[in-house]
Structure formats: structure tokens, C-alpha cells
Amino acid sequence: MATTMKAVVIHAPGGPEVLKVEQRPIPKPEAGQVLIRVKAFGLNRSEMFTRQGHSPGVDFPRILGIEATGIVEHAPGGEFEKGQIVMTAMGGMGRQFDGGYAQYTVVPCLQVQAITVPTRLGWDVLGAMPEMIQTAYGAITKSLRVKKGDRFLVRGGTTSVGLAAISIAKELGAHVAATSRKPERELFLRQYGADEFLLDDGAIGKQIKDDSKKFDKVLELVGTVSLQDSFQCVAPGGVVSLTGIVGNSWHIDKFVPMELIPKFTYLTVYGGWIPEFMGTPLNDIVQKVEAGKFNIKVGKVFNIDQIVEAHQCMDDNAAEGKIVILTD
């Protein structure tokens, strides 16, 4: 076995160009940890924020990456067998300790799921899943509790999480509407499973003339910049879950809750951690993807040596799906 690996290291915050591919020693797992040979990892906007210096408590240099998919190389405690396909996410990866932007990573066993069902899916598809599916599944089932018959709106439908949310909500029996700022994305979203399309001009609430067409549940992926308008789309008793920050703004200026939140509606947030990741039925979803019952939208695939280009693609919102990095 080799003793060094390629890793993407950030020494100081900045633009995509601060990401440097370096040779690093392969880390060694201790008791309760597992060494994973990373085959693929997805990019996440939280990693962009960390790269820009906005994540508190992150020391540099650091190997970023809040998720990884690969093969078990060694688990000293015997929790996993060598060669098992595994997925990992959250738990401080890429922030408190080095994460998935490398050919090998060491993580605690308690935040690793083994994929025990046979699969022919490629590493690009498997690599797209851990954080994306955890977020979409968790927001829908825990934060919004979407059920059969709900009118459900995905604000930011062409994002990777938005597309996964469409599949999950459709399977639950909801009527699914999705938004995009680009009118030409309507056909794509309908083909993906959306029953309804709304062109996001920043004032979707004004497009809904009939209160019976408002929504029971809204998954807000654009973020604070569109949150007030999303509340104009909600029926009394409905819920908005602030889950994504695609709009790149964390704050609402002059936040007045009694003006923002209409009476008899509810605001919640979703943020997954280890229990949420471990509670995501990844094996079940792998089977559904394999059977064609569930769609995983891989936007663009890069090699680890193209990490700067990949992050620029993320910064530019140019992927239209999940960006995945292959390490070989």
C-alpha cells in the first residue's frame, strides 16, 4: 500500500484558487475509526463558505469535505470489513478534522454507513448521494413531515437537493411544485417529476391568485433572500423549512418576525448532523436508484486535479445538479 495520497489542502481563505492539490501522508485510523479509500466526493456550498473563511472555528491548513464515498481500507476495531462500500458525512468532517477532499480519509465509525445491497451504480452517482440525500430526506421527513396529499413547493428546484427532494416527495404521494429562475428549466423539472412549475421572479406569492393553490409545505433552498416571499406561498397551517442558502446570504436585515411570518403559519430550519445522516435509508435509496424509481442528478464530474475548476463551477451555479469529484 502507498504511504502518501493526493489531498486538496487550503492554507488560507479565498477564491477557488486557494485550493491546492498536495501529497500528504495517508492518515492512520485509531480504535473507533475507519480508514476509507475515497473513490468520490460531492461538493457542497458549506465547503465554499469554509473556503471563503466564513465557517467559525476552522483552523488552516485543512483538507475540506463534509462527505465521502469509497471503500474500507482498515477498521482497527473490526466495525467494517476491508473492501466494503461505505458513505460518510457530517460530524465535523472538513472543519474540526480533515475531510473527504482526498484519496483517503479517517472518520469515526459512528458516522459511516455501509452499502450492503449489491449495486452497479457508478462512483459518480454513489459519490453524489451522502450529504445531498441526507439533507433532502431529513428536511422532508423531519422538518416538514411531508405526507400523501400535501401540496409541496421546492424553492430552488434545480439544485441537487431540490431535485432529490422532488423524487422523495413524489414517492410520499405529495403534489410537487418546483421553481427556477430560468423558464427553459420547466420541461426539465417536469420530466424530473414536478407536477407544477413556478418561474422564480422573486415574487412567486403574487403569482398565486387562488388561496386554494397555496402550499402546505415549502422547502426553502434559496435562503433568506426569498424567505419572505416563500411565506406568501403558504396556506394557513403551512410550514416553511429554511434548509439551503443558495442565495449566499445568511442574514435578514431588520428582521421583524411578526411581519415576515403570516399568522397561523410556521417557520422551521433543517440542519443534519450524525444522527440525521445515520438515519437516512441510503441502502433503500441505492436500490431505488438502481431500479429507476428514484433520480439522482449528477451535474458535472471532475477529477481531483480539477478541484479549482470544480469550485469555480459551484461558485457560478453552473452545474445544474450535484458536482462530483473522482479521486482516481
Side-chain angles (χ1 to χ4, degrees), residues 145-291:
R145 300 178 184 178
V146 173
K147 63 184 185 301
K148 184 176 181 179
D150 277 346
R151 287 182 54 80
F152 172 63
L153 174 65
V154 182
R155 187 94 185 232
T158 59
T159 63
S160 60
V161 173
L163 293 168
I166 291 171
S167 287
I168 295 169
K170 284 289 289 183
E171 186 180 43
L172 290 171
H175 172 92
V176 179
T179 75
S180 173
R181 293 175 299 171
K182 300 177 181 179
E184 63 270 22
R185 305 312 290 159
E186 177 176 0
L187 179 60
F188 167 68
L189 285 167
R190 288 188 181 275
Q191 289 174 336
Y192 217 84
D195 301 297
E196 187 178 342
F197 173 78
L198 294 170
L199 181 64
D200 195 342
D201 58 0
I204 293 175
K206 293 181 179 179
Q207 299 177 31
I208 305 174
K209 306 299 184 183
D210 185 343
D211 284 351
S212 69
K213 300 299 183 182
K214 288 190 174 183
F215 297 92
D216 304 298
K217 314 286 172 62
V218 177
L219 179 60
E220 176 58 81
L221 297 173
V222 177
T224 57
V225 295
S226 58
L227 184 60
Q228 185 164 3
D229 181 53
S230 286
F231 266 113
Q232 303 309 308
C233 304
V234 181
V239 185
V240 177
S241 177
L242 181 60
T243 298
I245 308 287
V246 176
N248 293 343
S249 177
W250 290 92
H251 306 286
I252 301 175
D253 293 334
K254 298 179 181 179
F255 174 51
V256 183
M258 294 188 72
E259 293 181 4
L260 175 71
I261 305 171
K263 61 183 179 181
F264 315 130
T265 61
Y266 302 89
L267 171 64
T268 186
V269 297
Y270 179 75
W273 197 244
I274 294 173
E276 289 73 33
F277 171 72
M278 294 302 289
T280 304
L282 291 173
N283 275 283
D284 181 52
I285 291 170
V286 166
Q287 287 182 302
K288 288 174 180 173
V289 174
E290 189 101 41

Side-chain angles (χ1 to χ4, degrees), residues 41-87:
F41 58 86
L43 296 196
N44 300 280
R45 298 191 77 81
S46 65
E47 295 151 1
M48 179 182 77
F49 297 136
T50 301
R51 190 204 73 214
Q52 294 170 340
H54 301 315
S55 297
V58 177
D59 296 323
F60 300 115
R62 174 67 68 218
I63 297 172
L64 300 184
I66 65 170
E67 66 175 315
T69 298
I71 297 171
V72 171
E73 188 67 35
H74 181 46
E79 295 90 346
F80 299 95
E81 297 178 7
K82 183 173 181 177
Q84 275 189 299
I85 296 175
V86 291
M87 297 181 181

Side-chain angles (χ1 to χ4, degrees), residues 136-148:
Y137 180 84
I140 286 173
T141 62
K142 296 180 181 297
S143 188
L144 289 170
R145 300 178 184 178
V146 173
K147 63 184 185 301
K148 184 176 181 179

